[in-house]
Amino acid sequence: MATSQAAYGVEKVIGHDDSSVTAQDVSNYSGEAGKEETMKALCWMGKNTVEVRDVPRPKIIEPNDVILKVTGSTVCGSDLHLYHGTVIQLNKGDILGHEFCGIVDEVGSAVTKVKKGKRYVASFQIACGDCFFCKQKLSSQCERTSANTTQRAMYGGQTAGMFGYSHFTGGFAGGQAEYVRVPLGDVNLLEIPDEVPDEKALYLSDVLATSYNAVHDTAVYPGDQVAIFGAGPIGQMAGIFALKAGATKVIFVDTEPRLTFVKKRWPADHADKLELVDYKKLSFGVTNKPTVVSKLKELCGGRGPDAAIECAAGEYPKGWMHWLEITLGAETDTSEIINEMIEGVRSFGRCGITGVYVGYTNHFNIGSLMERGIRLIGNGQAPVHKYWEELLKMIQSGELDPLQMVSHRVRVEDLDKVYVKFDKREEDMQKVFVETKFSLPACEGSPKLTRY
C-alpha cells in the first residue's frame, strides 16, 4: 500500500498538467462530490485488501455529468492488478470497477442525448469525443480526460481517463457500486436496446471490445494458427473472435481450471480447431525438456503459429530471477510470456500484447524479434467506441453470446469475498455478473445467484 500511495503523493506534489477537460481525482464521493445519502461500493483499502463500504452517493459536479443507478457490473482480471497493488497511485477508499451498466438517475444541464430512465452501458475509458484520437474513434487514447504527469513521463503520452483504475488514469470513481458518476455522459454511454438484457450488454464496456481489438489489431487472417496466452475471459473471447476471423487452429496456453472451462464452453462445431497447452506441465528457460515454445512448434508444423496474443499480464513471473527483480523494483513486469510468444511464433509472425503491462521489463529477447522478423504489437487499451456498436449488433443478431464466458452471478454486497475467490481461481470463477438492488430480473441463460 505504501508504494502505491507514495506514488500518488509524488504526483500531487508535482501536479497535473492542464490537458483535461473534466475534474481529476474524484475517486470517491466524499466532500463536495457526494450527497448525504449513502450507497454500497467496493473500495480499495490496501494491497490485497478491498472492502464493501457505505459511502456517499455521487452527485452532478459538472454540466456534462450523468448519474447512473448501476444494474450490472463485473470484476476484470485487470482489477487484480489494482488488488495486488501492481498499478500505482491508488489511494485508500478509492472506488473500483471499470465495467458497468445502469439506468440513468440524473443528468447534468449540458447533457442532450442521454435520457433519464433509459438503460445504458458505459465504456471503461472516458473520452471527450472531440480530440484527434476521439474523432477517429480511438477513444482509449483521448487527449483530454487524464492530466497525470507521471504517466506522461513514463509513457511519452497519456491514455484516456478510466473508471475505477487509480489516479494514474485520472482518479475516477468506478462502477462496482450502486451509483456512479459518468463524466461527459453523452460521449461515454451507449443506449441498450430493449431486447438486449444487461447480462449481455454489460460486457460491451470492456471485455468484448478488448478481445475483439486483440484479434483485429494483431491481425488474424483466414487460415491462421493462433496461440492465445491466458484463458481468462478476454483470452476465451479472443479465441471466439479468432474463429470468426478464419483461424484454423486456436491454442490456449494457461493452466487449470481455466483450460477445462474454455474447453467446456468451446463451440462444438469448431472442436477440431482447439488445442490446450498447460504451461505448468512444461519446463521453461534454457533446457532440453519440453517447453511452451517447443510445444507450439510441435502443434504448428515445426514452425509455430502465425500469431500469438498475450491476454495474461506482466505481473506473474515464472522463474526466480524475474520474481526477485520485480520484488526489488528492478523491473515492473516479467518478459517471460512475451519471450515465449516471440520465440514460439513462426518467422515473420505477429505477437500482440493485450494483457496489462505497467512499466519496464528485463531480459527481453530482442535478438529473436529482429533476426526472425517478428512483429510485436502493443494492442493498447482497447478503443471501445470503435467497436461497441458493431459488437452490439452481433449480440442482437445472435451471432455473439457473451454469456458463454459468465460463470457466476453475485451481489455487490459480496464483492470483497468475490475478489478473493477470483484471485485464487476458486469455484471455476471465470467472469461474474454483479447485481445490485436496482438490477432487473435475471435473463435466460444467466447463472443462478451465489451468495457468500
Side-chain angles (χ1 to χ4, degrees):
M1 178 174 69
T3 301
S4 185
Q5 289 185 295
Y8 177 45
V10 171
E11 173 71 19
K12 288 196 289 185
V13 170
I14 296 171
H16 296 326
D17 62 33
D18 59 357
S19 60
S20 180
V21 297
T22 187
Q24 304 286 282
D25 302 316
V26 187
S27 57
N28 58 52
Y29 304 116
S30 59
E32 295 298 316
K35 300 181 177 183
E36 291 184 5
E37 301 98 322
T38 62
M39 66 174 182
K40 300 288 184 185
L42 191 282
C43 301
W44 187 87
M45 303 303 291
K47 184 176 180 180
N48 297 323
T49 305
V50 291
E51 294 178 6
V52 177
R53 309 184 79 197
D54 291 307
V55 300
R57 279 173 47 181
K59 67 179 181 182
I60 300 289
I61 62 172
E62 295 177 327
N64 290 304
D65 284 352
V66 170
I67 306 297
L68 279 187
K69 292 191 293 187
V70 177
T71 57
S73 66
T74 187
V75 181
C76 179
S78 58
D79 286 325
L80 294 180
H81 311 317
L82 302 170
Y83 182 63
H84 299 151
T86 304
V87 174
I88 62 173
Q89 295 190 10
L90 281 156
N91 204 30
K92 190 174 182 180
D94 287 354
I95 300 173
L96 304 185
H98 57 273
E99 301 173 86
F100 55 90
C101 63
I103 299 169
V104 173
D105 189 54
E106 299 178 60
V107 296
S109 60
V111 175
T112 59
K113 296 179 182 178
V114 172
K115 303 301 181 185
K116 187 175 179 179
K118 288 185 174 289
R119 293 189 303 138
Y120 294 85
V121 59
S123 58
F124 76 85
Q125 59 231 213
I126 300 163
C128 74
D130 197 44
C131 70
F132 173 84
F133 291 108
C134 285
K135 287 178 179 178
Q136 301 176 71
K137 297 292 186 181
L138 301 176
S139 48
S140 62
Q141 304 303 317
C142 175
E143 299 171 307
R144 302 171 65 196
T145 55
S146 176
N148 191 279
T149 303
T150 307
Q151 191 186 73
R152 182 181 293 278
M154 282 182 65
Y155 295 166
Q158 292 153 322
T159 65
M162 298 178 195
F163 289 104
Y165 215 74
S166 88
H167 298 264
F168 192 62
T169 61
F172 296 92
Q176 290 169 358
E178 292 177 329
Y179 290 86
V180 62
R181 182 183 75 95
V182 181
L184 302 162
D186 277 339
V187 179
N188 297 297
L189 293 170
L190 179 69
E191 186 173 352
I192 303 172
D194 291 342
E195 71 273 16
V196 178
D198 287 348
E199 292 90 341
K200 295 183 180 182
L202 165 65
Y203 303 105
L204 293 167
S205 57
D206 178 1
V207 57
L208 294 178
T210 295
S211 51
Y212 193 67
N213 180 68
V215 170
H216 288 274
D217 191 58
T218 303
V220 173
Y221 299 107
D224 273 357
Q225 298 175 322
V226 183
I228 296 175
F229 286 71
I234 288 175
Q236 180 185 356
M237 297 310 296
I240 297 299
F241 290 126
L243 289 178
K244 293 182 184 297
T248 56
K249 183 176 288 186
V250 179
I251 307 162
F252 286 95
V253 182
D254 206 319
T255 190
E256 297 298 347
R258 283 184 164 170
L259 292 177
T260 296
F261 184 94
V262 168
K263 185 177 181 179
K264 288 179 179 178
R265 304 287 183 107
W266 190 251
D269 54 342
H270 293 289
D272 60 325
K273 299 174 182 176
L274 176 65
E275 297 283 355
L276 305 176
V277 174
D278 190 335
Y279 71 85
K280 286 192 174 180
K281 295 181 179 179
L282 298 168
S283 188
F284 60 92
V286 180
T287 177
N288 58 7
K289 297 178 181 179
T291 63
V292 169
V293 172
S294 67
K295 188 65 176 177
L296 292 178
K297 304 290 186 185
E298 176 189 323
L299 290 170
C300 300
R303 296 187 184 91
D306 302 282
I309 304 174
E310 206 282 16
C311 298
E315 72 159 291
Y316 305 111
K318 288 184 177 181
W320 66 268
M321 183 179 294
H322 282 282
W323 173 84
L324 181 61
E325 290 176 347
I326 290 173
T327 301
L328 295 176
E331 66 176 3
T332 57
D333 305 275
T334 175
S335 58
E336 290 160 301
I337 292 177
I338 295 176
N339 285 343
E340 287 177 341
M341 292 200 302
I342 290 170
E343 296 162 18
V345 297
R346 64 167 174 83
S347 295
F348 296 105
R350 304 173 302 283
C351 299
I353 305 175
T354 282
V356 171
Y357 284 71
V358 175
Y360 305 95
T361 189
N362 300 326
H363 315 293
F364 171 67
N365 194 345
I366 195 170
S368 180
L369 181 85
M370 180 268 152
E371 297 288 352
R372 299 177 55 241
I374 308 303
R375 273 63 173 163
L376 182 62
I377 303 154
N379 300 132
Q381 295 287 352
V384 172
H385 296 190
K386 182 177 180 179
Y387 302 118
W388 61 354
E389 291 178 351
E390 179 183 358
L391 291 164
L392 176 58
K393 289 178 181 178
M394 290 185 193
I395 294 172
Q396 287 177 291
S397 69
E399 179 186 350
L400 175 63
D401 183 10
L403 286 172
Q404 63 191 289
M405 65 178 163
V406 180
S407 59
H408 290 70
R409 186 184 186 97
V410 299
R411 291 281 298 181
V412 68
E413 291 89 345
D414 295 331
L415 264 179
D416 51 350
K417 303 176 187 71
V418 171
Y419 262 73
V420 174
K421 291 182 178 296
F422 187 55
D423 185 36
K424 295 179 178 179
R425 300 188 183 182
E426 294 179 354
E427 300 181 10
D428 293 344
M429 190 174 283
Q430 180 79 340
K431 192 70 173 174
V432 301
F433 180 87
V434 182
E435 68 174 37
T436 72
K437 63 185 180 182
F438 303 119
S439 296
L440 302 172
C443 74
E444 182 179 354
S446 173
K448 293 182 179 179
L449 180 65
T450 301
R451 293 302 309 265
Y452 298 103

